[in-house]
Amino acid sequence: MRKPNWQSEGEDPDYRFTLANERTFLAWIRTALALLAGGVLLFEFAQQIGPRIVVLVLAMALAVVAAVLGALSYVRWRGNEIAMRTGRPLPRSIVIPLLSAVALLAAAVIAVLILVSR
């Protein structure tokens, strides 16, 4: 596999930081997979909690957020690697507040659907 150009910039960081960055990346990927699994579960097994279209939209939204999170996790990992190689501060990311907002919104919609279906 060809080495990307940005890996030739700066100096190699301490391997502990590189491995910590990789673990963080994998945690974001696990979160994306959990969101995707939640969307599939809603679509397949949550037919009685609300109107079919609302459940379908929520399941699709979770799947789209999972895909976006997977892509953003790579961008974040790459940005952190470049920052560590060049000695710059780590870049800020919108992923954490965005993920928090999505989790809050999804939980609120599911709670309302469960309350209304009773």
Side-chain angles (χ1 to χ4, degrees), residues 35-53:
L35 288 172
L36 183 60
V40 170
L41 286 173
L42 271 175
F43 181 73
E44 287 295 325
F45 301 111
Q47 302 304 318
Q48 290 94 12
I49 66 167
R52 175 80 175 141
I53 188 69

Side-chain angles (χ1 to χ4, degrees), residues 13-67:
D14 186 333
Y15 70 90
R16 292 174 293 178
F17 299 130
T18 299
L19 293 175
N21 191 29
E22 187 174 313
R23 284 192 299 273
T24 303
F25 168 74
L26 293 174
W28 286 113
I29 294 297
R30 281 193 303 271
T31 303
L33 290 174
L35 288 172
L36 183 60
V40 170
L41 286 173
L42 271 175
F43 181 73
E44 287 295 325
F45 301 111
Q47 302 304 318
Q48 290 94 12
I49 66 167
R52 175 80 175 141
I53 188 69
V54 175
V55 173
L56 177 64
V57 167
L58 185 58
M60 288 299 299
L62 288 175
V64 168
V65 169

Side-chain angles (χ1 to χ4, degrees), residues 69-91:
L69 184 60
L72 288 177
S73 64
Y74 174 77
V75 170
R76 183 181 165 104
W77 170 81
R78 182 179 176 271
N80 288 344
E81 282 292 314
I82 291 172
M84 288 189 298
R85 296 184 73 81
T86 57
R88 291 181 298 177
L90 296 179

